[in-house]
Amino acid sequence: MEARDEILKFQTHVEMIPQEKAAVEGDIETLSELIHADADIPPPELPHEDFQFNTQLPCHPNALLPDETPTELVALGRELAELNRALVEVSKRTDGRNASVRSLKKRVSEITKQMATLDQVTGLAKVHPDQ
C-alpha cells in the first residue's frame, strides 16, 4: 500500500488533557481528583436543538404532580404539532435520510411517549383523587 503514489502520510502531535495523562499513567487518585474538579463545569451549549439526542423522560409516572399534568400535556401537544409541521417541511426538501429528519422523528416519538405517560398519570389521578 505504501508503494502507491496517491497515498499521503500525515503526522501530527496531539496533547493529552490531564485526565488522559493520569489514566495512561495509571494514577487513579489524580484521575479521580481531576474528574471531581470538573464535575461542576456545565456542558457546552448546543448549537441547535437538533443536536440534543438524550432528552430526559420522567423517571416514574408518579414523579409528576397531577396538578401539573394537564398544562404539561397541552405544552407537549403544541410541541408535537410544531415538530410534525417541521417534519413535513423538511421531508419535502429531502429524501428522508438526513440527520434532521431522523432527529425530528426521534423527538416526535419521545414526545408521544411523554404524552402517553402523562395521560396515564392523569387517568390515575382521576381514579384515585386522594393520592
Side-chain angles (χ1 to χ4, degrees):
M1 198 128 156
E2 290 183 12
R4 296 173 51 187
D5 291 334
E6 63 270 5
I7 302 292
L8 300 174
K9 290 184 181 182
F10 292 96
Q11 184 176 359
T12 186
H13 180 73
V14 178
E15 288 288 327
M16 288 194 290
I17 61 173
Q19 290 90 337
E20 292 171 332
K21 288 179 184 177
V24 168
E25 295 169 358
D27 189 358
I28 302 300
E29 185 176 312
T30 303
L31 179 60
S32 297
E33 290 173 6
L34 291 169
I35 289 172
H36 289 297
D38 288 345
D40 295 333
I41 298 173
E45 291 293 322
L46 296 175
H48 191 269
E49 66 182 27
D50 289 343
F51 289 92
Q52 183 174 356
F53 298 108
N54 57 344
T55 57
Q56 295 293 324
L57 296 174
C59 299
H60 189 274
N62 295 333
L64 299 171
L65 298 174
D67 296 341
E68 299 172 354
T69 304
T71 307
E72 203 166 331
L73 267 173
V74 170
L76 286 173
R78 288 183 183 140
E79 186 177 354
L80 184 60
E82 186 61 36
L83 285 171
N84 281 326
R85 276 190 232 111
L87 185 60
V88 168
E89 289 299 316
V90 170
S91 296
K92 288 179 185 176
R93 292 178 282 163
T94 64
D95 61 358
R97 297 187 310 173
N98 67 18
S100 61
V101 171
R102 286 191 307 270
S103 175
L104 284 170
K105 286 181 179 180
K106 183 177 179 182
R107 185 69 183 135
V108 164
S109 173
E110 290 168 354
I111 289 178
T112 304
K113 288 177 187 174
Q114 283 179 328
M115 289 179 74
T117 301
L118 287 172
D119 195 36
Q120 287 177 348
V121 170
T122 304
L124 289 174
K126 288 178 184 175
V127 172
H128 304 289
D130 57 329
Q131 292 180 348

